């Protein structure tokens, strides 16, 4: 039944025939005899069209929910979000994504900008065409408006390091961890909380969580991972140039590190961690291994995150590093590229505390051979 004219009161017993409304529009009523058209018609038999529409939209036993993957943490959120989205798209799903780059439905950008809050997530979650939601979930949005969902299927905490201290009442890493814990705390029963076993602030969240905990690490010998596997838990880690998934006494390789270009052959350790997280999130939601391998080996669109360009005789790396840990990861990576000289063009967000900005300058001064310091307009 297609109604394009608002406020029309259909009065007919002739199901299947065109009906002319009082406004002169002709409306096709393509319904089988016996379907109710209207609860309170001005004449004729009441018909429950709304009930039939609801039954069609939400069949018996269905909830109408889609998989929701929420990513929080200090660094790596955007890259992980993009990697996961890329894998799901290769698997044939229509993906809604929010990130610091914008809101995307597959490759179409709906809104450009920093869209990591609940209002942006609602755009994705209210789109009836979206089959999987991958939501970068930042501290600011949580503080201002909470979350746009009641439960998620996978809640990820990439890491917790110094950033935003002194803002919005956040005075310590403990405060920051408390805020970001909201994401894994909302994992549904039967869902998965993905935690960084290499970060003590992240592992400290485990006692507060109700869903299944799955750890990830860059080290196969990580004590927390080994203990977790010994108890029959599941974990993802790197060993002998391979990304593995393990559960209890079994282990299975997922992909070679050398086949993941974002890691620069393993030099970019932070992107290796991001790849492990993306593989874990998709594996835990039963995405076939073939798509995970294909996705990580073909992931190339990551603008502003370790973007390498050839400019004349120079290699230029553009990166969004904006806190001490981000600068350290970038410097370690570019030093690993064996350049004769590394020149830094650096800045820091103006809303950070002076001691944080000074620390960034100290890290850059130790890491680069020559520095240009630029000041952006806010």
């Amino acid at each position: 039944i297609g109604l394009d004219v608002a406020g029309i009161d259909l009065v007919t017993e002739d199901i299947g025939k065109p009906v002319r409304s009082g406004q002169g529009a002709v409306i096709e009523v393509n319904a089988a005899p016996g379907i109710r058209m209207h609860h309170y018609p001005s004449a004729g038999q009441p018909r429950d069209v709304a009930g039939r529409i609801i039954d069609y939209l939400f069949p018996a036993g269905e909830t109408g929910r889609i998989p929701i993957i929420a990513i929080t943490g200090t660094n790596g959120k955007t890259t992980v979000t993009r990697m996961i989205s890329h894998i799901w798209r290769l698997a044939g799903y229509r993906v809604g994504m929010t990130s610091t780059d914008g809101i995307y439905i597959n490759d179409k950008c709906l809104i450009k900008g920093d869209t990591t809050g609940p209002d942006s997530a609602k755009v994705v979650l209210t789109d009836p065409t979206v089959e999987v939601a991958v939501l970068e979930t930042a501290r600011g949005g949580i503080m201002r408006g909470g979350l746009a969902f009641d439960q998620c299927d996978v809640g990820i905490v990439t890491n917790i390091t110094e950033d935003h201290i002194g803002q919005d009442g956040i005075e310590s890493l403990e405060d920051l961890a408390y805020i970001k814990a909201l994401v894994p705390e909302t994992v549904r029963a039967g869902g998965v909380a993905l935690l960084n076993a290499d970060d003590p602030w992240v592992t400290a969240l485990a006692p507060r969580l109700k869903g299944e905990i799955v750890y990830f690490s860059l080290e196969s010998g990580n004590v927390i991972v080994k203990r977790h596997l010994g108890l029959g838990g599941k974990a993802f880690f790197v060993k002998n140039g391979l990304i593995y998934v393990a559960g209890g006494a079994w282990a299975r390789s997922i992909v070679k590190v050398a086949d993941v270009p974002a890691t620069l052959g393993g030099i970019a350790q932070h992107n290796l961690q991001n790849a492990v997280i993306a593989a874990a999130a998709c594996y835990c939601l039963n995405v076939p291994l073939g798509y995970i391998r294909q996705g990580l080996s073909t992931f190339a669109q990551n603008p502003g995150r370790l973007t390498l360009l050839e400019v004349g005789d120079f290699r230029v790396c553009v990166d969004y590093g904006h806190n001490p840990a981000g600068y350290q990861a970038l410097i370690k990576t570019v030093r690993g590229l064996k350049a004769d000289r590394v020149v830094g063009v650096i800045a820091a967000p103006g809303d950070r505390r002076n001691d944080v900005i000074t620390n960034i300058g100290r890290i850059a001064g130790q890491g680069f051979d020559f520095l240009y310091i630029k000041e952006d307009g806010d």
Side-chain angles (χ1 to χ4, degrees):
I1 303 165
L3 302 180
D4 293 325
V5 181
I8 295 174
D9 185 22
L10 292 179
V11 181
T12 179
E13 297 298 323
D14 297 321
I15 300 298
K17 294 182 179 180
V19 179
R20 185 171 299 278
S21 76
Q23 297 180 352
V26 176
I27 300 169
E28 287 286 345
V29 183
N30 298 314
I35 291 181
R36 301 170 183 172
M37 291 292 295
H38 198 300
H39 277 291
Y40 305 104
S42 56
Q45 177 184 352
R47 306 173 191 274
D48 183 18
V49 65
R52 292 298 296 272
I53 291 174
I54 294 300
D55 290 343
Y56 172 78
L57 292 174
F58 302 98
E62 297 291 332
T63 64
R65 300 183 73 95
I66 60 173
I68 297 176
I69 304 158
I71 303 98
T72 195
T74 303
N75 291 314
K77 297 187 298 296
T78 299
T79 297
V80 169
T81 299
R82 289 170 173 169
M83 283 180 168
I84 293 172
S85 298
H86 180 63
I87 293 169
W88 277 94
R89 287 184 59 192
L90 286 176
Y93 290 82
R94 186 170 176 84
V95 180
M97 179 184 81
T98 62
S99 70
T100 53
D101 183 43
I103 302 173
Y104 288 81
I105 307 297
N106 276 0
D107 59 354
K108 182 180 180 181
C109 181
L110 303 184
I111 300 174
K112 291 286 289 183
D114 188 351
T115 56
T116 56
D119 290 340
S120 301
K122 288 176 186 176
V123 173
V124 167
L125 295 173
T126 55
D127 187 320
T129 69
V130 170
E131 296 173 302
V132 178
V134 186
L135 309 175
E136 181 177 347
T137 308
R139 163 214 56 89
I142 294 174
M143 292 288 290
R144 288 187 293 271
L147 302 175
F149 50 86
D150 57 347
Q151 295 178 318
C152 59
D153 296 87
V154 176
I156 301 169
V157 185
T158 60
N159 47 63
I160 296 174
T161 64
E162 184 181 14
D163 202 3
H164 301 291
I165 305 298
Q167 296 177 269
D168 299 324
I170 300 172
E171 299 299 334
S172 65
L173 286 174
E174 185 177 8
D175 292 342
L176 200 59
Y178 179 80
I179 293 165
K180 294 182 182 294
L182 182 62
V183 168
E185 284 175 346
T186 58
V187 170
R188 66 169 179 81
V192 170
L194 270 177
L195 302 183
N196 186 349
D198 299 328
D199 188 324
W201 285 106
V202 177
T203 57
L205 302 179
R208 300 170 54 177
L209 310 183
K210 298 178 181 178
E212 178 189 0
I213 295 174
V214 174
Y215 286 106
F216 60 87
S217 172
L218 292 182
E219 302 292 337
S220 60
N222 180 287
V223 173
I224 291 174
V225 167
K226 294 176 72 173
R227 184 184 302 130
H228 191 62
L229 292 175
L231 294 173
K234 187 182 297 180
F236 294 76
F237 53 84
V238 180
K239 183 178 181 180
N240 298 329
L242 292 165
I243 296 176
Y244 277 92
V245 55
W250 63 268
R252 183 180 187 181
S253 65
I254 295 178
V255 66
K256 294 179 180 178
V257 173
D259 291 338
V260 184
T263 71
L264 302 180
I267 294 173
Q269 289 283 291
H270 61 297
N271 267 354
L272 176 55
Q273 181 185 81
N274 295 335
V276 173
I277 299 170
C282 294
Y283 186 94
C284 288
L285 288 178
N286 300 315
V287 176
L289 269 180
Y291 291 118
I292 297 175
R293 294 189 182 109
Q294 183 185 1
L296 292 178
S297 64
T298 60
F299 178 74
Q301 298 300 317
N302 198 24
R305 271 72 179 174
L306 201 64
T307 302
L308 287 169
L309 310 168
E310 299 286 341
V311 182
D313 296 331
F314 295 88
R315 283 176 294 176
V316 177
C317 177
V318 182
D319 190 84
Y320 186 59
H322 58 279
N323 52 51
Y327 265 80
Q328 287 169 338
L330 175 64
I331 290 169
K332 182 179 180 181
T333 299
V334 295
R335 283 293 181 189
L337 296 176
K338 306 299 182 185
D340 294 329
R341 183 175 62 146
V342 182
V343 179
V345 182
I346 69 169
D351 60 353
R352 301 307 197 264
R353 285 193 328 205
N354 286 345
D355 61 312
V356 175
I357 296 175
T358 301
N359 190 25
I360 288 175
R362 184 178 297 109
I363 292 167
Q366 293 170 347
F368 294 108
D369 298 316
F370 195 88
L371 282 177
Y372 291 90
I373 300 174
K374 67 189 183 76
E375 184 171 4
D376 294 327
D378 189 357

